[in-house]
Amino acid sequence: MFDRKLKYYLDLIEDNLCKFLPKSNDLCLSFVESLNYSVLGGGKRIRPVLTLAVCDMFCGNLKIAVNFACGVELIHAGSLVHDDLPCMDNSEFRRGKLSCHAKFGEAVAVLNGDGLFLSAFEFLTNAKNHGASNDQIVKACEVLSKMAGLNGMVLGQAIDMLAGRNNLSFEVVDELSSLKTSCLFKASCVLGAIAAGVNVKIISKVNMFAKFFGLAFQVVDDMIDVVGKEEIVGKPIGADIKNDKLSYASILNLNELKQLAKTYTKKALDEIKEFENNEFLVVLLESMLNRVN
Ligand code: GRG
């Protein structure tokens, strides 16, 4: 049941992303190629799956939700392209292949990310052709721009780049992870709830579920950077430590990391336990504890 639903969501996302991306332009072929490379290049799609699953849990309209879901995925894909740039994490590999700038050059990678960030909002407004009200679209744009922007993911990345090891403490890593990772998880889940038209009390529960889901996800991510296998992760292991990054793994040992991931997972589950039809989200959340990439 879980696998069938997951495949259904993944196919829906892939199909919509594929249709949206430009197919060719003789004047800037490598730019168009780079977009298809970085968006269709094998991500787990956890964020857009969350958007669909939350909407589905509340029996909402998946045609609206898939446009919101793909908007979130474009922001995510663009953030990875920019994160890998020489001026940021300077990573040559991503998802088991060359990162975008390593394959297409820096100018293309910068434009790729710029384009994905802006076109994400085109995807959101596209939902008007599938039954979304103006109010739903405005709310979705408001949430996504807040969560991705200057007080959200971008702020998290700025802290990640600039804060330095002398600021290392659990509180700072937790704040950084809330911004850099949980914010986009919040946007993913809340946009699913907006697509389903639920009330603010429910949206606030969904928001907290996403916050803790994102934190658990980041704890496991930091753990994978220490104990993961390069051929499975698709990029060099130990990059956070090598680059002196603020990470949960620079404060906690392996057992403590596992315990923290479980604690955040339990907190996330508590936020959705009262909702009927929550089975898919529960299994998805629990499966993230054991992920290896
Ligand atoms: C949003 C305008 C705008 C700018 C972005 C570069 C940047 C600013 C942010 C980067 C933040 C960042 C790299 C956060 C890490 C989040 C994270 C855990 C990424 C890995 O996500 P997965 O495992 O990736 O879901 P896949 O490859 O599966 O898609």
Side-chain angles (χ1 to χ4, degrees), residues 47 176-186 214 217-218:
R47 296 159 191 79
L176 165 67
S177 306
S178 296
L179 293 164
K180 191 178 80 163
T181 304
S182 282
C183 275
L184 208 54
F185 277 73
K186 284 184 187 174
F217 191 87
Q218 187 60 53

Side-chain angles (χ1 to χ4, degrees), residues 2 44 46 185 213 216-217 220-221 224 261 265 282-293:
F2 174 84
K44 293 183 288 298
I46 180 78
F185 277 73
F213 195 145
F217 191 87
V220 175
D221 219 63
I224 290 174
T265 299
V282 170
V283 177
L284 182 71
L285 176 61
E286 285 173 345
S287 72
M288 286 297 128
L289 275 177
N290 302 317
R291 72 190 177 91
V292 286
N293 71 350

Side-chain angles (χ1 to χ4, degrees), residues 61-256:
N61 177 345
L62 289 187
K63 287 189 177 150
I64 297 176
V66 76
N67 284 281
F68 289 178
C70 290
V72 175
E73 186 65 5
L74 291 194
I75 299 269
H76 168 64
S79 79
L80 298 185
V81 170
H82 278 192
D83 188 50
D84 289 338
L85 284 168
C87 60
M88 299 251 185
D89 274 3
N90 193 18
S91 179
E92 261 202 86
F93 292 95
R94 163 84 55 190
R95 298 169 176 167
K97 51 187 197 176
L98 287 174
S99 51
C100 186
H101 71 273
K103 189 166 169 74
F104 299 99
E106 267 183 73
V108 166
V110 170
L111 289 170
N112 174 308
D114 292 346
L116 294 177
F117 297 145
L118 290 170
S119 292
F121 294 92
E122 187 186 338
F123 238 132
L124 264 43
T125 57
N126 213 19
K128 71 180 182 302
N129 302 321
H130 301 277
S133 66
N134 286 344
D135 189 44
Q136 280 173 306
I137 290 174
V138 169
K139 276 189 188 143
C141 288
E142 186 184 6
V143 170
L144 185 58
S145 57
K146 267 194 185 160
M147 291 298 117
L150 294 180
N151 292 307
M153 194 184 196
V154 172
L155 178 61
Q157 182 73 351
I159 293 173
D160 191 59
M161 289 290 121
L162 304 173
R165 288 279 285 198
N166 53 338
N167 288 293
L168 183 63
S169 69
F170 180 80
E171 288 67 31
V172 169
V173 175
D174 224 35
E175 171 68 3
L176 165 67
S177 306
S178 296
L179 293 164
K180 191 178 80 163
T181 304
S182 282
C183 275
L184 208 54
F185 277 73
K186 284 184 187 174
S188 310
C189 293
V190 170
L191 262 55
I194 292 170
V198 300
N199 66 40
V200 286
K201 203 168 148 225
I202 293 181
I203 287 186
S204 147
K205 288 240 151 215
V206 165
N207 193 50
M208 291 309 285
F209 161 76
K211 176 190 161 105
F212 292 123
F213 195 145
L215 289 176
F217 191 87
Q218 187 60 53
V219 174
V220 175
D221 219 63
D222 289 353
M223 202 155 63
I224 290 174
D225 188 63
V226 178
V227 296
K229 301 240 178 310
E230 191 163 321
E231 63 278 16
I232 298 176
V233 181
K235 58 179 183 181
I237 298 302
D240 290 349
I241 306 291
K242 190 174 141 218
N243 297 330
D244 253 358
K245 287 283 176 184
L246 300 176
S247 117
Y248 286 110
S250 31
I251 307 173
L252 305 173
N253 66 33
L254 202 55
N255 277 338
E256 289 167 333

